Amino acid sequence: MRIDIISVVPELLQSPFDASILKRAIDKGLVEVHIHNLRDFATNKYKQIDDYQFDGDTFNQGMANELSLHENIIVLCGHYKGVDQRVRDHFVTREISVGDFVLSGGELAAALVCDAIIRLLP
């Protein structure tokens, strides 16, 4: 399985994948995790990438089971006001919420989702 995570603060994501079950899965070649800085793809001079937030399906064990069966997953971390609507319109196939609360960004939620998925790999 390959997981690509697109984030505004990629530094927040390194630690969860450097320890425990996630690291063992990576070391065994069961999963590849690639973290990308979203601002590298911004087209304006301010590197602005956000828009207003939008609710998604609530993440649960059944969704983790389903996602663990995919060969490739791209996780786009919302930040500040969320993700630009143009990205949603053209690239997003599913929006997921990890709960009814506000985080400073989607990086911790992405780590949570990846942890739940990677644990299910044989």
Side-chain angles (χ1 to χ4, degrees):
M1 169 181 265
R2 177 182 169 130
I3 299 174
D4 289 272
I5 303 173
I6 303 170
S7 167
V8 176
V9 189
E11 303 82 14
L12 285 175
L13 288 163
Q14 202 56 49
S15 179
F17 298 101
D18 285 340
S20 191
I21 292 172
L22 303 182
K23 180 173 177 22
R24 288 196 302 270
I26 291 168
D27 289 345
K28 289 181 180 181
L30 298 174
V31 65
E32 292 179 38
V33 178
H34 301 271
I35 301 169
H36 310 276
N37 189 334
L38 180 59
R39 290 193 193 280
D40 291 344
F41 304 96
T43 58
N44 59 54
K45 69 179 183 177
Y46 299 108
K47 301 280 188 183
Q48 183 179 2
I49 45 80
D50 54 346
D51 195 1
Y52 293 100
Q53 64 188 21
F54 186 81
D55 293 330
D57 296 332
T58 302
F59 187 71
N60 58 34
Q61 189 63 43
M63 192 182 300
N65 292 340
E66 174 197 335
L67 292 173
S68 73
L69 300 174
H70 292 276
E71 289 184 33
N72 189 12
I73 296 172
I74 299 173
V75 179
L76 177 58
C77 301
H79 218 265
Y80 304 114
K81 295 180 185 174
V83 174
D84 190 296
Q85 186 63 43
R86 293 168 293 182
V87 173
R88 285 190 185 113
D89 292 344
H90 296 288
F91 301 109
V92 174
T93 57
R94 183 181 218 167
E95 294 191 39
I96 298 172
S97 170
V98 295
D100 191 19
F101 50 90
V102 177
L103 296 172
S104 58
E107 290 78 17
L108 297 176
L112 178 147
V113 168
C114 289
D115 184 276
I117 292 169
I118 292 170
R119 291 176 37 87
L120 295 170
L121 298 177

